[in-house]
């Protein structure tokens, strides 16, 4: 590959709007604090955390992980399509991503319904306080991400973006990948590591 | 599809496949009852690797220079360090 081509491919800023990346950084820092708080609080309650972690549905959690990483891959395909000016394909990939996001919400919602039916809430114990707070905070981000993807899918389908002008699509995609990234840490930390 | 798009999509497809495999291994470790500090750190390592792949390929940071190239890596380093320290201390291996 020639030096000129390499130079042309190296950018100084990430894809999408810089403001969205500043928001992503802020969100990631908040989640980092949550993860650290979980880890350091667990130090004083190892037996309790291990006991109640075993009550969680790991199969639902792995299904949700697969749903989110697949949604992220679909969003990557949507960005690739719009970069080539193919709005129809891009919209189709975005709707597929929305489908995976809704699947996540459906599975996670089922888990919450199960917990509620057993009388489990934030004050049940320290483990559940962290588990419910962390996962629900992330759940809210998935809802926002799905709404963003729906808006983008509609606008892309209407032909409002092109190969030259699609920063909104890249910004929305970056936000969605952040939601995926956070879950990739949350899943092993809360459901598996003991 | 032009060659530049293809050159980006191919590693993204591999990234997705690797992440699916690592996720299934993590799940198997969880349901098999495997436990202990090294299992926990191995699972955390898988998660950090998946996070780096998302940052590099899905978020497209592999082609960015300067601070933004490392923003996800630095976050993963921060989270990985804090969680590792907490699990190492709570395991009692330092006693």
């Amino acid at each position: 590959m020639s030096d000129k081509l390499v130079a042309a491919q190296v950018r100084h800023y990430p894809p999408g709007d810089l403001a969205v990346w500043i928001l992503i950084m802020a969100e990631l820092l908040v989640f980092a604090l949550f993860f650290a708080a979980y880890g350091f609080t667990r130090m004083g309650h190892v037996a309790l955390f291990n006991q109640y972690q075993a009550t969680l549905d790991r199969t639902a959690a792995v299904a949700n992980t697969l749903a989110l990483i697949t949604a992220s891959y679909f969003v990557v395909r949507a960005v690739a399509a719009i970069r080539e000016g193919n709005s129809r394909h891009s919209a189709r990939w975005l709707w597929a991503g929305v489908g995976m996001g809704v699947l996540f919400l459906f599975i996670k919602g089922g888990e919450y319904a199960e917990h509620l039916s057993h009388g489990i809430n934030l004050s049940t114990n320290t483990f559940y306080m962290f588990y419910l707070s962390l996962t629900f905070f992330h759940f809210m981000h998935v809802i926002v991400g799905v709404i963003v993807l729906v808006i983008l899918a509609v606008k892309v389908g209407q032909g409002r973006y092109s190969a030259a002008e699609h920063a909104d699509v890249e910004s929305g995609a970056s936000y969605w990948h952040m939601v995926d990234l956070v879950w990739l840490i949350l899943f092993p930390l809360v459901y598996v590591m003991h | 599809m032009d060659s530049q798009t293809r050159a980006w999509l191919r590693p993204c497809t591999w990234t997705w496949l690797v992440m699916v495999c690592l996720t299934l291994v993590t799940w198997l470790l969880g349901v098999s009852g495997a436990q202990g500090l090294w299992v926990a750190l191995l699972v955390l390592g898988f998660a950090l690797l998946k996070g780096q792949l998302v940052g590099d390929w899905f978020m497209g940071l592999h082609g960015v220079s300067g601070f933004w190239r490392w923003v996800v890596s630095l976050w993963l380093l921060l989270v990985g360090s804090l969680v590792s320290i907490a699990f190492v201390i709570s395991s009692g291996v330092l006693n």
Side-chain angles (χ1 to χ4, degrees):
Chain A
M1 194 181 288
S2 73
D3 288 348
K4 262 187 185 171
L5 187 55
V6 170
Q9 287 175 345
V10 173
R11 289 166 281 116
H12 294 289
Y13 295 101
D17 193 37
L18 204 55
V20 169
W21 278 90
I22 290 167
L23 172 73
I24 286 171
M25 271 180 59
E27 299 270 27
L28 288 177
L29 284 174
V30 171
F31 274 106
L33 285 175
F34 261 127
F35 294 153
Y38 175 94
F40 286 102
T41 305
R42 180 184 173 276
M43 284 167 53
H45 309 83
V46 174
L48 180 135
F49 272 54
N50 289 347
Q51 180 188 346
Y52 287 97
Q53 185 188 60
T55 66
L56 300 181
D57 186 348
R58 290 191 177 112
T59 305
V62 78
N64 266 344
T65 308
L66 294 175
L68 280 193
I69 59 181
T70 303
S72 261
Y73 179 67
F74 289 164
V75 169
V76 164
R77 298 299 302 245
V79 172
I82 199 64
R83 280 180 184 170
E84 298 209 314
N86 194 334
S87 297
R88 204 162 54 90
H89 280 180
S90 182
R92 210 176 282 170
W93 284 114
L94 283 168
W95 282 119
V98 169
M100 287 291 126
V102 170
L103 177 64
F104 176 95
L105 295 174
F106 185 74
I107 294 171
K108 195 75 207 134
E111 275 188 84
Y112 288 141
E114 183 73 11
H115 295 319
L116 286 174
S117 72
H118 288 95
I120 293 165
N121 56 47
L122 286 171
S123 53
T124 299
N125 59 42
T126 311
F127 173 78
Y128 274 117
M129 190 271 287
F130 270 103
Y131 160 74
L132 291 171
S133 308
L134 260 170
T135 59
F136 192 72
F137 190 48
H138 178 266
F139 188 82
M140 299 303 287
H141 283 75
V142 178
I143 291 175
V144 172
V146 167
I147 292 169
V148 168
L149 292 185
V150 167
I151 292 169
L152 287 174
V154 169
K155 290 175 78 173
V156 167
Q158 291 170 342
R160 295 214 214 164
Y161 300 107
S162 64
E165 189 62 54
H166 55 262
D168 290 352
V169 182
E170 291 182 335
S171 298
S174 298
Y175 182 85
W176 181 264
H177 296 318
M178 180 273 291
V179 172
D180 182 20
L181 178 62
V182 167
W183 180 261
L184 291 179
I185 304 295
L186 210 164
F187 161 57
L189 181 65
V190 175
Y191 285 87
V192 181
M193 291 171 66
H194 59 275
Chain B
M1 191 179 288
D2 68 30
S3 58
Q4 203 174 333
T5 305
R6 207 177 299 123
W8 176 52
L9 275 183
R10 198 177 297 125
C12 285
T13 304
W14 278 108
T15 289
W16 176 73
L17 281 170
V18 169
M19 291 205 299
V20 168
C21 292
L22 290 177
T23 299
L24 292 175
V25 172
T26 299
W27 174 66
L28 285 172
L29 284 170
V31 295
S32 70
Q35 56 184 328
L37 176 63
W38 298 112
V39 175
L41 292 181
L42 178 68
V43 165
L44 179 63
F46 287 162
L48 296 174
L49 174 60
K50 287 192 283 182
Q52 188 62 51
L53 288 172
V54 167
D56 281 354
W57 296 105
F58 286 6
M59 290 174 139
L61 297 180
H62 74 285
V64 178
S65 64
F67 167 75
W68 293 103
R69 169 70 184 90
W70 304 110
V71 69
V72 167
S73 308
L74 289 171
W75 181 76
L76 291 168
L77 182 67
L78 174 71
V79 169
S81 302
L82 291 172
V83 171
S84 297
I85 289 167
F87 272 75
V88 167
I89 293 173
S90 64
S91 73
V93 293
L94 298 180
N95 295 337

